[in-house]
Amino acid sequence: MIRISRARFIASIGLVSVLVTLGAALTYAGDKNDVRTFGDVRAATAPFHNLDVAIAAGYGPVKGCAQNPAVGGMGQHYVKGDLVGDPALDALRPEGLVYEPRSGGGYELVAIEYLVLKGDWESVNGANPPRLFGQPLTLVPAGNAYGLPDFYELHVWLWKNNPAGLFADWNRRVSCRGLPF
């Protein structure tokens, strides 16, 4: 018979609880009840660390680098218009890629963004707001900085840690100071 102390038993239960919670946080159910990990999303977006690959895949810059001194930065968004005009959301094909300008030049992929126009979403899916990774997408009303009608969006900081959380819009660790123009 194996004997362990009460403290070790409680610590073991705590560790198992943390691992189960972490596993749940790193796994999501997709639209067709498939289960993927963020590892799948990382693998699908890893080629876009090379900005030239992203551009060749149809992603283009939108506005300037987004930064707010009060809450941090987002970075420079590159968006694929064909995906924005599609009412579907696919975790492996984000509508946007977010890059942080580097002080020595170039860009570093820091996040991905999912975006769907509200009217397009509702025409296919009804009035229930979209969700990905167990998270509701945020509604951005018309009159926004991008000149778009109402749309839903979700940032996912897969490539740079965000102290505000994996799905927060702004990251205080991201800056536009390296922007070469």
Side-chain angles (χ1 to χ4, degrees):
M1 181 162 120
I2 299 174
R3 294 180 158 244
I4 60 172
S5 70
R6 182 175 183 197
R8 280 192 176 171
F9 178 73
I10 291 171
S12 297
I13 290 173
L15 178 60
V16 168
S17 175
V18 166
L19 291 174
V20 167
T21 301
L22 180 61
L26 295 176
T27 304
Y28 68 92
D31 289 341
K32 296 183 173 94
N33 295 323
D34 61 329
V35 176
R36 294 189 182 113
T37 65
F38 281 117
D40 294 332
V41 179
R42 282 180 177 269
T45 58
F48 301 127
H49 280 286
N50 181 331
L51 184 57
D52 291 334
V53 171
I55 291 169
Y59 289 89
V62 177
K63 299 218 32 113
C65 187
Q67 185 167 320
N68 180 332
V71 291
M74 284 184 198
Q76 176 65 55
H77 290 73
Y78 277 72
V79 175
K80 187 168 184 173
D82 292 348
L83 294 177
V84 172
D86 178 352
L89 289 170
D90 181 344
L92 301 179
R93 297 178 61 214
E95 286 76 12
L97 306 170
V98 186
Y99 293 87
E100 181 178 21
R102 306 311 302 152
S103 59
Y107 291 88
E108 176 185 353
L109 180 62
V110 293
I112 57 177
E113 184 174 11
Y114 298 93
L115 185 146
V116 62
L117 299 176
K118 182 179 183 223
D120 291 346
W121 175 262
E122 289 181 351
S123 71
V124 173
N125 300 288
N128 290 331
R131 298 178 67 86
L132 273 175
F133 314 111
Q135 302 293 311
L137 276 69
T138 302
L139 177 64
V140 178
N144 53 69
Y146 303 101
L148 293 174
D150 294 351
F151 68 92
Y152 293 104
E153 63 85 21
L154 179 69
H155 287 88
V156 183
W157 295 92
L158 280 182
W159 299 105
K160 185 163 192 165
N161 182 43
N162 185 349
L166 182 64
F167 302 108
D169 284 338
W170 299 95
N171 187 335
R172 65 181 166 87
R173 292 186 175 159
V174 170
S175 170
C176 294
R177 70 183 173 276
L179 193 61
F181 48 85

